[in-house]
């Protein structure tokens, strides 16, 4: 597949909890690793795009990396922050503004579910009635959405457990993952019910980590690597009227597709391929149910087909369409700024054939990533070699 | 002597005979939202009037909040020992579908499509001893 932009270097700081290490230091570590991988130095980069939701302004990391005067753009786009950093970098090179740049994402969040520090909806000078009443909690949304979906499309509790078991199994083969202990389906089903029908081990947690990707013009990629991975699409979409999204205090009765379906369609159109051409996919798995619904929203199956796809192991590393081969958010946690770039990092490894014990067999050629989050945004990328 | 006060009269009016939710209605396109916003998310108009929402509807989707919400923003008791799981769901009212607490928290007793009716639940006592209440929906039968 043709593309103007290639990924020529990747770097990561392990995900998890890192006492005494700031989020930005984790980002800087990822930058150094990515530069090393591309065989360049920080001084060679013409521009950087950095994203972080809770760990400081990314551009201030130049004081750790070197004051070279490069163009450094900060992005903050909720859960699509990493994807937006990448699409901004992609567009900068595609537009001919620069030949070589870097997309950076990092974060560090406190323990426990994400909480809203300011009212989500208007309060008219009064109390925060929404968060104050015990709503505005992300897990509620995911639980409500999958609970309705399960009834409508025949998805079982066992299938929810299968997704989480697969994530922890894949995570156990990933040295960069936060959670490396595989859990059985029974252990997952018997863990604490946090938001019916979702149990504790079905959820990801806010965490820490950093990822950086060096991008160059495709026609110069071989200067930096023997295995350039081409970026065929990097698309971000927000919600349309009528789609059901996290932190919605109300819904219209008009039923509309969400931002994932919109972003997915646009990305496939840009790349000129369809879902059947994808060999490996990383999909937003805030919890098990999200992965199941996102399989359909991204066009990889019809609603309800997930039940037998999971039963037959079709989304395992050796399956027809491996999904979340690095353990996804469930095993890696979700440092918002880094999460979308982690998916791309994993896909680059898979396409290079360098994913070690979790390598997808049969030489995968096309890889797909998808992030989703508050307040109803999705980012999709398509990579190829 | 404390009395009952609304968590926020902008969305929950408890001064009438029965409590009612207050949303916004776009004068241009008729779209109803909860709460009332300064602009219409459907037609982008900015002529929005308050509207009292119906008190009865059907359960559209639900979950049970099984762990104590972080405080802030949560105003209710959230110590692990005082916390009781509570239902949360979307209830389809005549005008719009709204998210609310549910008085029922047993998964076996919650079913999509069941009839629901607006009620109130205590959140906390304020410094004057008033009982601060929020909106919730209860099974109608």
């Amino acid at each position: 597949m043709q593309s103007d932009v290639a990924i020529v270097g990747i770097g990561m700081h392990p995900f998890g909890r890192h006492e005494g290490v700031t989020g930005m230091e984790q980002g800087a570590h990822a930058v150094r690793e990515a530069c090393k991988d591309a065989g360049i130095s920080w001084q060679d980069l013409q521009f950087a795009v950095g994203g972080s939701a809770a760990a400081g302004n990314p551009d201030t990391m130049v004081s750790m990396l070197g004051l070279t005067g490069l163009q450094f753009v900060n992005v903050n786009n909720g859960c699509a922050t990493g994807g937006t950093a990448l699409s901004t970098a992609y567009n900068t090179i595609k537009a001919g503004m620069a030949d070589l740049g870097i997309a950076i994402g990092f974060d560090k969040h406190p323990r426990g579910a994400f909480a809203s520090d300011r009212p989500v909806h208007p309060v008219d000078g009064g109390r925060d009635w929404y968060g104050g009443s015990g709503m505005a909690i992300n897990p509620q949304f995911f639980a409500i959405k999958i609970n309705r979906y399960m009834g409508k499309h025949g998805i079982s509790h066992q299938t929810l457990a299968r997704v989480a078991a697969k994530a922890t199994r894949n995570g156990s083969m990933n040295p960069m993952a936060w959670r490396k202990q595989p859990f059985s389906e029974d252990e997952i089903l018997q863990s604490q019910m946090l938001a019916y029908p979702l149990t504790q081990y079905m959820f990801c947690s806010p965490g820490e980590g950093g990822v950086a990707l060096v991008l160059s013009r495709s026609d110069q990629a071989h200067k930096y690597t023997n295995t350039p991975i081409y970026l065929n699409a990097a698309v971000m979409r927000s919600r349309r009227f009528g789609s059901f999204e996290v932190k919605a205090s109300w819904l219209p009765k008009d039923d509309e597709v969400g931002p994932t379906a919109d972003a997915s369609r646009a990305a496939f159109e840009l790349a000129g391929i369809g879902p059947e051409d994808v060999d490996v996919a990383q999909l937003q798995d805030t919890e098990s149910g999200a992965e199941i619904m996102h399989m359909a929203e991204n066009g990889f199956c019809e609603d309800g087909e997930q039940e037998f796809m999971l039963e037959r192991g079709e989304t395992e590393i050796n399956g027809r369409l491996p999904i979340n081969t690095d353990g996804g958010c469930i095993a890696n946690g979700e440092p918002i700024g880094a999460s979308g770039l982690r998916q791309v990092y994993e896909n680059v490894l898979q396409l290079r054939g360098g994913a070690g014990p979790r390598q997808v067999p049969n030489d995968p050629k096309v890889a797909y990533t998808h992030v989703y989050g508050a307040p109803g945004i999705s980012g999709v990328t398509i990579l190829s070699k | 002597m404390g009395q009952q006060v609304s968590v926020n009269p902008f969305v929950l009016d408890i001064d009438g005979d029965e409590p009612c939710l207050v949303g916004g209605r776009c004068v241009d396109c008729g779209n109803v939202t909860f709460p009332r916003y300064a602009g219409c998310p459907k037609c982008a108009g900015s002529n929005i009037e308050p509207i009292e929402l119906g008190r009865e509807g059907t359960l559209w989707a639900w979950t049970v909040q099984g762990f104590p919400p972080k405080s802030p923003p949560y105003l209710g008791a959230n110590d692990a020992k005082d916390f009781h799981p509570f239902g949360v769901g979307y209830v389809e009212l005549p005008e719009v579908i709204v998210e609310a607490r549910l008085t029922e928290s047993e998964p076996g007793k919650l079913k999509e499509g069941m009839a629901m009716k607006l009620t109130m639940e205590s959140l906390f006592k304020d410094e004057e001893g008033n009982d601060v209440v929020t909106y919730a929906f209860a099974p109608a039968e």
Side-chain angles (χ1 to χ4, degrees), chain A residues 111 113 121 123 127 129-130 132-135 137 140 143 147-148 194-196 241 248-251 253-254, chain B residues 7-8 31 34 37 42 60 62-66 70 73-75 90 92-94 96-97 99 101 112 134-135:
Chain A
R111 284 162 208 281
H121 297 287
V123 297
R127 288 190 194 89
W129 53 273
Y130 187 61
S133 298
M135 293 177 281
I137 299 169
Q140 289 172 352
N147 201 14
R148 183 172 159 84
L194 294 185
Y196 185 93
F241 183 78
S249 59
W250 65 283
L251 286 172
K253 299 186 182 191
D254 319 34
Chain B
V7 64
N8 190 331
N31 182 58
F34 177 75
Y37 298 96
K42 187 171 189 180
W60 186 82
W62 59 273
T63 185
V64 177
Q65 176 64 31
K70 278 185 184 170
Y74 188 50
L75 296 168
Y90 286 83
E92 182 163 1
L93 301 177
V96 62
I97 302 170
E99 187 184 12
R101 289 173 70 115
E112 281 167 33
T134 189
Y135 59 98

Side-chain angles (χ1 to χ4, degrees), chain A residues 24 27-28 31 42 57-66 72 104 106:
Chain A
M24 198 173 293
V31 170
W42 170 251
N57 289 332
D59 63 324
T60 61
M61 69 168 25
V62 293
S63 62
M64 290 184 221
L65 291 166
F72 199 127
I104 309 160
F106 58 88

Side-chain angles (χ1 to χ4, degrees), chain A residues 158-173 178-192 199-205 288 316 327 329-332:
Chain A
Q158 197 70 36
T159 293
L160 295 179
R162 283 194 180 104
V163 169
K166 169 174 69 70
T168 59
R169 219 164 30 242
N170 293 353
S172 74
M173 293 184 280
W178 181 5
R179 305 190 190 285
K180 298 189 183 78
Q181 185 196 346
F183 287 118
S184 71
E185 290 167 28
D186 281 347
E187 285 172 311
I188 290 160
L189 286 169
Q190 283 155 21
S191 63
Q192 191 197 344
T199 65
Q200 184 182 353
Y201 294 163
M202 293 177 187
F203 276 101
C204 85
S205 305
S288 308
E316 299 284 339
C329 292
I330 292 176
N332 288 282

Side-chain angles (χ1 to χ4, degrees), chain A residues 244-260:
Chain A
F244 179 31
E245 306 301 338
V246 62
K247 290 176 186 165
S249 59
W250 65 283
L251 286 172
K253 299 186 182 191
D254 319 34
D255 214 6
E256 190 51 80
V257 300
T260 292

Side-chain angles (χ1 to χ4, degrees), chain A residues 172-368:
Chain A
S172 74
M173 293 184 280
N174 177 5
M176 293 289 182
W178 181 5
R179 305 190 190 285
K180 298 189 183 78
Q181 185 196 346
F183 287 118
S184 71
E185 290 167 28
D186 281 347
E187 285 172 311
I188 290 160
L189 286 169
Q190 283 155 21
S191 63
Q192 191 197 344
M193 186 64 81
L194 294 185
Y196 185 93
L198 299 170
T199 65
Q200 184 182 353
Y201 294 163
M202 293 177 187
F203 276 101
C204 85
S205 305
E208 303 174 19
V211 181
L213 307 169
V214 177
L215 286 84
S216 86
R217 280 172 50 165
S218 287
D219 58 3
Q220 298 178 1
H222 283 279
K223 281 174 30 186
Y224 310 106
T225 178
N226 296 324
T227 53
I229 302 300
Y230 300 101
L231 187 52
N232 299 93
V235 170
M236 188 262 167
R237 288 288 184 274
S238 64
R239 64 201 188 279
R240 282 197 269 162
F241 183 78
S243 70
F244 179 31
E245 306 301 338
V246 62
K247 290 176 186 165
S249 59
W250 65 283
L251 286 172
K253 299 186 182 191
D254 319 34
D255 214 6
E256 190 51 80
V257 300
T260 292
D262 285 339
S264 175
R265 230 175 276 151
F268 279 125
E269 203 173 301
L270 260 178
I273 60 165
E276 65 284 357
D277 300 311
V278 172
D279 299 316
V280 54
Q282 318 296 333
L283 306 181
Q284 176 79 29
D285 58 332
T286 317
E287 35 68 38
S288 308
E291 178 173 317
I292 291 167
M293 293 182 287
H294 290 149
M295 286 166 66
E297 291 179 23
N298 285 288
F300 294 114
C301 65
E302 295 297 321
D303 290 319
E305 286 180 1
Q306 301 96 327
E307 184 72 12
F308 69 77
M309 286 177 75
L310 265 297
E311 200 184 320
R312 293 184 199 161
E314 292 185 9
T315 58
E316 299 284 339
I317 285 169
N318 293 306
R320 177 172 69 83
L321 176 66
I323 293 178
N324 292 332
T325 47
D326 66 351
C329 292
I330 292 176
N332 288 282
E334 192 183 17
I336 288 180
S339 203
L341 298 184
R342 167 187 58 75
Q343 298 176 321
V344 176
Y345 178 99
E346 171 69 4
N347 277 351
V348 170
L349 278 186
Q350 292 287 351
L351 295 179
R352 285 177 176 179
R358 63 180 196 284
Q359 177 64 46
V360 168
N362 304 322
D363 192 21
K365 294 188 173 52
V366 178
Y368 184 98

